[in-house]
Amino acid sequence: MKDTKGGPPGGYQVLVVEDEPQVRRFLRVTLRVNGYRVAEATSGVEAMAFAESRRPDLIVLDLGLPDVDGVEVVAKLRAWFQGPIVVVSARHQENEKVRALDAGADDYLTKPFGTSELLARLRVALRHDTRKAGDPEQGVFQAGGLRVDLDRHEVSVKGRAVKLTPLEYRLLTTLIRHAGKVVTSRQLLREVWGEAHLEEAHYLRVYMSVLRRKLEDDPTRPRMLLTEQSVGYRLRVDRD
Amino acid sequence: MSRTTQPPAATSVPAGGTVRTARGRRLRLLIAYAVAVLVVALATLLAFKLHPLVDPANIIMVYLLAVVLVAARLGHGPSIVATVLSVGSFVYCFVPHENSLVPSDLRYLATFTILLCVGLIVATLTSRLRAQVVATQQRELRSQALYQLSRGLAAAETRSALATVVRQHVQAVIGGASWLLERRGDQLAVIETPGDEPLSPTALTEANRVWRACTTVGRGAAARRSDDMIFLPMFVANQPVGLLCCRDAGGGSWGSAAALHLLEAFANNAAIALHRLIVGDEMRSSQQRIDQEQTRNVLLSSMSHDFRTPLASIMGAITTLIDNDDKLDRASKTDLMMSIREDVDYLERQVRNMLDLMRLESGILQIRREWHPPDEVIGGAMTRVEPLLVGRQVTTDIPPTLPLVAIDAILVEQLLVNLLENAARYTPAGTPVDLTIARDVRCVRIAVADRGPGIPATERERVFNKFYRGDGARRTTGAGLGLAICRAIAVLHGGRIWVEDRPGGGAVFQFELPIVEPPQQPIGNQERPGVAS
C-alpha cells in the first residue's frame, strides 16, 4: 500500500461499492495485493458521500445496490466525477449494463468474474482516462499485428496494407481511441454516424463485419475486433 | 333458454330478417287485388273470343280457371273479388237478358256459389301450403344459421374470436349489435372484440342484474328485455357461464318469437363454446402445474447430485488447504486449487443453465430480434468457447454473401456456445469440429459437426430433453440442460434443432431459423463497403 499517487497501479485509490460482504472481501484482498488502496461503500448513498469527500481515482460499482438504481449513481457521479467508473453486473442485466455505459461508465464486468479480468479492466480504464488525457488522434497505434498510422491515415495488418473506406476508417479510429475498453453501439453510432442514427445498430454491425473481414485472419474467430453481444464492441489490446 | 324451442310462427321473421313494414303490406295487398281484377278482365276477353265457338256452360269454365288461378296465387280476399267479378262479367256479357242487369232466373246463383266455394277452397289449400313452405324455409334458414354459428364457434380459439363470431351471426340474422359477457368473479365482464363499440355502462349494470337473478333463481330466470336490449343468460348443464346481450337495430319488430328462439339457440351454442374455452384454460393451467411439479422434482434430484458432488470436493480441497498449509508442497496446493476452480466453473455453468432454461420456459422472455450478420454471431460464440477448443482443428464454412438475419443475437450466440461446448466436452480431445452455415429461400441453417462417438438413433430426440444425459455423457459434468436450452431458443425463433449421424462418423447438430426480409441498404452506402479491400 502506497499513499502517494505514483506510478501505475501503485497508490491508486479504488472505491468499491458493493453490498455483498463476501464479494467485498475478495475484492479488497485482490486489489490490495495488486497495489491499490481500497475504500468500501455498501450503498449508493454512502458511495456518493465518499466519492465527494475523498475523491477516489477509480470507482468499482455494483449495479444491484440495495438503495438506489446503480445506473442513477453512475449518472450522478458523472456530473462531477472525472475518474473511471467500472460497473459490475449480474448476468441477464444486459440492459442495465448498456444503460450504465451510456450514462458514463467506462467499462463493465459480469459476475462471476476472475481476478485477471478485473485487473485488466481497471488497468485499461486507468490508462484511458480520456477525460484527463484528451488522447489526441495522432501517432501510431499498434496491437496484435494491426498497425494504424493516425497521422497518415494508413492501416496495415502484419505489414500488408489494407484499404478502408472513410467510414470504416472512422469506425476503426473510434475503437482505437477507446482501445481495450468496451464501446457501446450507441456510442459508436454517435461518434461515427452522428446523432440521427442512434437506433440503426444493424448498419454498425454490417460495417463491423466488413472491417473484420478486412483486418482479421479469420473473421469468425476474431482476435482484435471483439463483439460484446448486445452491448457493443471492444478492440483487444495485447496483454489486456 | 327456459323454453323448449318450437318451430317459428309462420307469419314472422322472413329470410334475412328483413322487417316488413305495414306500408309494404298494404301495397302488396293492393297489387294482389289489382291482379285479381286484371285476371278476370283477361278471362272475359278470352271468353269473348271463345263465345262464338262454345256454349255458355263452357264459358263459365274460363272464369273457373281465372278464379282458381287467383285463389292459388293471391289468397282469400282476391279470390272472393275474382269470383264476384267473374260471375258478374259472365252474367252481364254472356247471358241473354232483358233490360235489367239482374238475370231473370236465379240459375246463375248456383254457378256463383260453386265458383265461390272452389275459389275459397283453393285459396285455403294454397295458403296452408305456402305457410308450410315458409315454415320449412325458416326452419332451414334457422338450422343453417345455427350450423354456421356452431362451425364458427368451433373454430374460435380465443374468447375474443368467439365473441366476434357470435356478434357477426347475430348481426346477420337479426341485424343488431350484440355482446358476449363472461363471469369474472361474481360480476360479468364483456369479452372485448377489437374494433367494435363497447357495451354501455347502463346495459352492463342491467346485464349484471339479470345475471344475479339467474344465478340465484337458477334457470328459471328467463331472458329479460329492456327497451331495445335483450339479455339472455347462458347455461351449460344448469351452470351459468355468461350472458348474451343483444340490441335491436331499430324498426321495433325484432322481438318476434322466432327471432327470440333463434337468439336463445345462439346463446346456447355460445354457452357451450365458452364453456369449452373455460375448461380448456383450466386444463392447461393444471397441466402446467403438473409440468412445473415434475420439473421441480427432477430439478431437486438433479441438484442434489450435481451440486453436492462438486460442493463436497470443494469443501474437501479447501479444508485440506487450510488444515495442512505447512505440510503441503507447492504442486499439491496448486493441484487442489485448480480442482476447486474446475468445480466452481462447473457449478457456475450449472446454475447459469438452470436459470437460462427457467427464463426461456417461463414465457416471460420476449425475444428481441434485430438484424445481425451471421458471421458476427458466430464470431462471438467462437470467442467465448475458444479456451475449450484448444488443440482442435476448428473450421468454419461461411458463404461471404450471407444476408442479415433477424435474430436475438444473445440467445443464438448462447445456442451456438452450447453446441460448441458440447462438441468440445463429449468428443475425444484433438478431434476436429466443423461449423457450417447455409441459406436457402426460407431459412438459415447452421450445423456443428464433430467426429465423436455420435448419438444413437434412439436418443436423438431425447438428448434435447431437460436433465437428459446420454450414456457417453454419464460422468462428464455439466450436461443435461445445454441442449434443452438450445431447443428452447430455436423454438422461440420459430425454428427447429435436431441431430443426425455424420457420414464418416460423429454427430451433426443442426438448427434452422426462418428468414425474415432484411432491411434496406445501410447508410453511407455511397462508400460501398467491401469494395476497396
Side-chain angles (χ1 to χ4, degrees):
Chain A
M1 266 220 286
K2 298 170 196 167
D3 277 311
T4 49
K5 294 185 182 182
Y12 282 120
Q13 186 178 49
V14 182
L15 172 62
V16 173
V17 190
E18 165 66 73
D19 60 313
E20 297 286 341
Q22 291 290 58
V23 179
R24 265 203 321 273
R25 197 158 115 182
F26 128 72
L27 286 174
R28 187 194 310 139
V29 171
T30 310
L31 290 173
R32 279 199 185 140
V33 162
N34 286 280
Y36 291 92
R37 286 183 295 134
V38 183
E40 295 166 32
T42 54
S43 69
V45 175
E46 207 181 313
M48 302 285 285
F50 186 94
E52 206 148 4
S53 62
R54 305 283 296 277
R55 306 272 163 162
D57 300 297
L58 176 84
I59 297 176
V60 176
L61 172 77
D62 189 286
L63 284 181
L65 290 173
D67 57 341
V68 228
D69 178 16
V71 179
E72 225 171 273
V73 178
V74 172
K76 280 187 182 153
L77 283 172
R78 257 306 159 246
W80 56 270
F81 180 69
Q82 299 290 312
I85 301 173
V86 174
V87 293
V88 177
S89 75
R91 257 171 62 78
H92 304 316
Q93 288 188 319
E94 279 84 8
N95 276 336
E96 293 289 290
K97 261 186 317 216
V98 177
R99 277 176 57 220
L101 290 169
D102 283 332
D106 290 74
D107 214 325
Y108 72 94
L109 282 160
T110 306
K111 278 184 193 170
F113 51 85
T115 327
S116 55
E117 211 183 336
L118 166 74
L119 294 173
R121 291 280 184 280
L122 298 195
R123 262 203 309 279
V124 170
L126 282 167
R127 189 195 310 148
H128 271 277
D129 204 349
T130 47
R131 275 165 296 274
K132 279 185 200 155
D135 235 15
E137 253 186 79
Q138 42 188 270
V140 174
F141 173 85
Q142 252 175 317
L146 172 70
R147 186 180 186 283
V148 182
D149 189 325
L150 295 163
D151 300 320
R152 305 164 72 175
H153 293 216
E154 280 171 0
V155 182
S156 65
V157 177
K158 292 177 181 162
R160 172 178 56 89
V162 177
K163 264 180 148 177
L164 296 182
T165 64
L167 209 59
E168 288 159 10
Y169 182 77
R170 217 170 335 146
L171 186 56
L172 181 62
T173 51
T174 308
L175 286 166
I176 287 173
R177 218 167 28 250
H178 302 280
K181 263 174 36 174
V182 70
V183 191
T184 64
S185 299
R186 279 175 80 86
Q187 206 176 336
L188 280 171
L189 283 164
R190 181 183 293 120
E191 290 186 29
V192 179
W193 276 270
E195 289 287 342
H197 300 284
L198 292 185
E199 302 306 321
E200 285 148 344
H202 62 277
Y203 298 152
L204 171 62
R205 292 189 200 112
V206 169
Y207 274 91
M208 283 304 299
S209 172
V210 172
L211 208 52
R212 245 187 230 120
R213 253 175 261 158
K214 290 184 178 183
L215 301 180
E216 298 274 5
D217 292 340
D218 179 354
T220 61
R221 305 175 79 176
R223 303 264 172 252
M224 298 177 277
L225 303 166
L226 306 184
T227 309
E228 309 262 326
Q229 202 54 262
S230 89
V231 175
Y233 296 90
R234 187 191 299 274
L235 179 65
R236 179 145 71 186
V237 190
D238 293 332
R239 291 185 34 74
D240 275 325
Chain B
M1 306 281 2
S2 56
R3 300 171 223 182
T4 51
T5 45
Q6 297 154 349
T11 48
S12 58
V13 188
T18 48
V19 178
R20 278 178 200 168
T21 60
R23 233 182 97 208
R25 227 174 358 242
R26 257 206 313 278
L27 189 68
R28 285 172 70 95
L29 214 58
L30 214 65
I31 290 170
Y33 284 105
V35 171
V37 173
L38 193 70
V39 169
V40 175
L42 284 172
T44 308
L45 207 65
L46 184 65
F48 267 116
K49 292 276 181 216
L50 292 174
H51 183 50
L53 309 171
V54 298
D55 60 58
N58 288 332
I59 294 235
I60 200 81
M61 293 300 156
V62 176
Y63 284 104
L64 181 63
L65 182 68
V67 168
V68 167
L69 271 177
V70 170
R73 304 295 310 169
L74 305 170
H76 289 92
S79 92
I80 294 169
V81 169
T83 308
V84 172
L85 284 177
S86 292
V87 174
S89 310
F90 175 68
V91 171
Y92 180 75
C93 303
F94 304 107
V95 178
H97 44 74
E98 285 74 54
N99 294 324
S100 77
L101 220 156
V102 181
S104 52
D105 53 342
L106 293 172
R107 274 183 308 166
Y108 297 105
L109 199 60
T111 314
F112 174 77
T113 313
I114 290 167
L115 221 51
L116 192 65
C117 284
V118 168
L120 288 177
I121 289 166
V122 169
T124 305
L125 283 176
T126 51
S127 87
R128 200 175 290 162
L129 197 67
R130 210 164 32 234
Q132 268 168 13
V133 169
V134 169
T136 314
Q137 273 174 354
Q138 280 198 343
R139 261 201 301 277
E140 174 72 11
L141 277 169
R142 195 180 109 90
S143 57
Q144 212 163 39
L146 272 177
Y147 169 67
Q148 298 209 330
L149 176 79
S150 58
R151 256 178 48 152
L153 290 177
E157 282 176 356
T158 62
R159 287 164 160 74
S160 162
L162 193 107
T164 307
V165 168
V166 172
R167 196 180 173 88
Q168 282 165 354
H169 280 80
V170 171
Q171 178 77 42
V173 174
I174 66 151
S178 64
W179 294 266
L180 203 58
L181 292 90
E182 188 196 0
R183 127 192 250 161
R184 300 251 165 84
D186 55 353
Q187 287 275 316
L188 281 179
V190 182
I191 298 171
E192 307 279 341
T193 52
D196 290 320
E197 69 167 306
L199 184 65
S200 71
T202 47
L204 184 61
T205 313
E206 178 65 17
N208 268 306
R209 206 164 57 227
V210 174
W211 170 257
R212 266 193 299 281
C214 80
T215 44
T216 50
V217 178
R219 296 202 63 161
R224 295 268 183 93
R225 292 187 198 176
S226 71
D227 303 331
D228 57 347
M229 303 290 285
I230 183 161
F231 302 94
L232 298 144
M234 310 192 314
F235 293 88
V236 170
N238 285 330
Q239 291 299 309
V241 294
L243 186 140
L244 176 64
C245 168
C246 310
R247 192 183 58 204
D248 189 4
S253 65
W254 75 304
S256 69
L260 190 59
H261 285 314
L262 195 53
L263 281 180
E264 282 177 346
F266 275 14
N268 266 330
N269 272 295
I272 292 163
L274 186 59
H275 189 247
R276 174 172 56 86
L277 287 184
I278 293 169
V279 171
D281 282 354
E282 281 167 5
M283 262 173 61
R284 250 192 306 285
S285 75
S286 68
Q287 184 59 45
Q288 244 166 21
R289 267 198 302 280
I290 293 169
D291 284 351
Q292 275 169 2
E293 192 61 33
Q294 269 172 356
T295 310
R296 216 176 357 253
N297 290 341
V298 181
L299 186 81
L300 280 176
S301 65
S302 160
M303 264 167 77
S304 63
H305 173 262
D306 289 6
F307 283 30
R308 277 170 140 170
T309 315
L311 279 175
S313 102
I314 291 172
M315 179 68 95
I318 290 278
T319 45
T320 311
L321 281 170
I322 293 173
D323 299 343
N324 304 294
D325 187 43
D326 44 347
K327 286 178 239 163
L328 288 168
D329 59 31
R330 199 175 178 76
S332 311
K333 280 185 187 169
T334 313
D335 192 31
L336 284 173
M337 287 192 282
M338 289 313 285
S339 140
I340 294 171
R341 201 215 152 116
E342 278 160 28
D343 281 325
V344 168
D345 273 348
Y346 164 77
L347 282 174
E348 197 273 320
R349 200 165 56 240
Q350 200 68 354
V351 170
R352 184 182 35 162
N353 277 348
M354 245 173 235
L355 292 177
D356 278 353
L357 196 61
M358 279 176 191
R359 247 162 38 104
L360 286 167
E361 291 192 337
S362 64
I364 307 164
L365 189 89
Q366 293 280 316
I367 68 164
R368 299 209 324 217
R369 281 180 198 267
E370 281 182 43
W371 295 99
H372 291 270
D375 50 343
E376 185 175 286
V377 184
I378 291 171
M382 293 291 263
T383 314
R384 277 171 58 188
V385 293
E386 196 91 71
L388 281 172
L389 292 171
V390 171
R392 289 173 191 265
Q393 194 198 338
V394 182
T395 60
T396 46
D397 180 11
I398 301 178
T401 55
L402 271 179
L404 300 182
V405 286
I407 50 171
D408 186 319
I410 294 182
L411 295 180
V412 173
E413 189 181 292
Q414 186 61 51
L415 195 167
L416 275 166
V417 165
N418 287 6
L419 289 185
L420 290 167
E421 271 183 0
N422 266 12
R425 238 177 244 126
Y426 303 128
T427 65
T431 54
V433 175
D434 302 308
L435 195 152
T436 53
I437 175 165
R439 178 194 196 236
D440 70 20
V441 197
R442 322 165 280 107
C443 60
V444 171
R445 181 179 305 156
I446 300 178
V448 175
D450 61 50
R451 286 290 178 203
I455 309 276
T458 50
E459 294 191 9
R460 282 186 201 148
E461 195 46 47
R462 282 186 292 161
V463 288
F464 294 101
N465 288 350
K466 256 177 289 192
F467 303 108
Y468 180 78
R469 229 171 244 193
D471 285 331
R474 243 356 131 208
R475 190 38 227 160
T476 335
T477 51
L481 291 174
L483 287 175
I485 291 171
C486 290
R487 182 168 65 183
I489 292 171
V491 168
L492 266 180
H493 279 82
R496 63 198 185 106
I497 185 166
W498 71 100
V499 59
E500 287 171 10
D501 257 341
R502 187 179 189 188
V508 192
F509 284 87
Q510 301 194 61
F511 68 96
E512 249 179 22
L513 304 177
I515 283 176
V516 199
E517 262 325 290
Q520 291 302 302
Q521 178 73 23
I523 35 171
N525 58 357
Q526 68 279 6
E527 305 192 39
R528 284 179 300 165
V531 168
S533 56

